[in-house]
Amino acid sequence: MAAVTIKSAEEIEKMRRAGRLLARVHEELAKAIRPGVSTKEIDTVCEELIRGYGCTPNFLNYEGYPASVCVSVNEEVVHGIPRKDRILREGDIVSLDTGLIYQGYHSDAARTYGVGQISQEAEKLIEVTRESFFQGIMMARAGKHLHDISNAIADYVIPYGYGIVHDLVGHGIGTKLHEPPNIPNFPQRRRGIRLKAGMTLAIEPMINIGTGEVDWLDDGWTVVSADSSLSAHYENTVLITDGEPEILTLL
Ligand code: MF3
Ligand code: CO
């Protein structure tokens, strides 16, 4: 595996800016979630916000991906393609995953929201997924090992009986959207690389109510839970420091 990059002080400033702007994009997108809105409308708002900040959407045209945001509804895990005819309805859950480039540096973050009133089981899935990220980043500090993060996420999620998605993982991030290392969200026997200050990582648990098995739809992108159970996603771009990790994509 190629070496994991350590960002310089100047690069970290740009990553911080890329992260803060993306946090604002997510705050605005959250306001667009309501019954009756199409997933395409969310994409339009997202692209306008990113460009309005003078940044570039990094998902758009990534390996041919046709939008600025992935909008994944209910049993869709990730990479849902926005569509005019996909209308959000009361009771749905929707994951928004998006990122941007600021002066050559990438940020990446995802959130799952309820549309109007949602079931208690859906609320719980969203909350456990979010909390698993925070459990993971307790281990995200210099001197710990990469898989301490993976194991902390898994140890938190498994007692709920949920399925952790194995086929998609978190990643390093910087001058590219996806850099080494891969960051699995399921139990690891090896410790993985030692974490160092200046690493920037996108940590992103994807959790299903049922099993963690997934299928790919014929559109070539959308990943769904194999058993059609609800799925949630929570992701932030994080800076490793000698102390507390800095979550770059939260305000
Ligand atoms: N957000 C995904 C990730 O976290 C990347 C999506 S790539 C796209 O790694 F092409 F689907 F946009
Ligand atoms: Co990511």
Side-chain angles (χ1 to χ4, degrees), residues 59 62 65 70 79 97 108 171 177-178 204 221 233 235:
F59 287 17
Y62 180 89
Y65 185 75
C70 300
H79 303 169
D97 185 0
D108 184 6
H171 49 93
L177 173 58
H178 292 138
E204 50 178 318
W221 282 101
H233 186 195
E235 175 182 26

Side-chain angles (χ1 to χ4, degrees), residues 205-220:
M206 288 151 270
I207 310 295
N208 302 343
I209 284 189
T211 77
E213 294 296 312
V214 297
D215 276 334
W216 268 259
L217 296 189
D218 289 338
D219 64 16

Side-chain angles (χ1 to χ4, degrees), residues 92-237:
D92 285 342
I93 67 171
V94 60
S95 301
L96 304 184
D97 185 0
T98 183
L100 59 78
I101 311 171
Y102 169 78
Q103 293 190 5
Y105 287 82
H106 290 250
S107 54
D108 184 6
R111 315 269 182 260
T112 301
Y113 300 107
V115 182
Q117 272 294 116
I118 62 173
S119 68
Q120 274 187 16
E121 66 163 1
E123 286 282 7
K124 185 174 156 198
L125 173 71
I126 292 170
E127 183 47 36
V128 169
T129 303
R130 181 180 169 282
E131 180 59 25
S132 73
F133 164 87
F134 288 96
Q135 295 291 319
I137 66 159
M138 284 183 196
M139 299 296 155
R141 42 171 79 218
K144 295 283 188 190
H145 288 256
L146 184 69
H147 294 165
D148 294 335
I149 299 173
S150 307
N151 289 328
I153 291 169
D155 287 347
Y156 179 74
V157 170
I158 288 167
Y160 288 94
Y162 292 150
I164 299 172
V165 175
H166 290 207
D167 286 7
L168 299 136
V169 296
H171 49 93
I173 181 168
T175 56
K176 289 182 297 206
L177 173 58
H178 292 138
E179 295 185 356
N182 281 338
I183 311 174
N185 299 302
F186 51 96
Q188 302 293 308
R189 215 158 50 73
R190 294 171 185 271
R191 296 199 294 179
I193 57 162
R194 182 185 290 272
L195 298 174
K196 297 198 183 103
M199 289 179 174
T200 43
L201 307 175
I203 299 171
E204 50 178 318
M206 288 151 270
I207 310 295
N208 302 343
I209 284 189
T211 77
E213 294 296 312
V214 297
D215 276 334
W216 268 259
L217 296 189
D218 289 338
D219 64 16
W221 282 101
T222 313
V223 180
V224 296
S225 61
D227 59 6
S228 300
S229 63
L230 293 179
S231 184
H233 186 195
Y234 188 82
E235 175 182 26
N236 284 300
T237 298

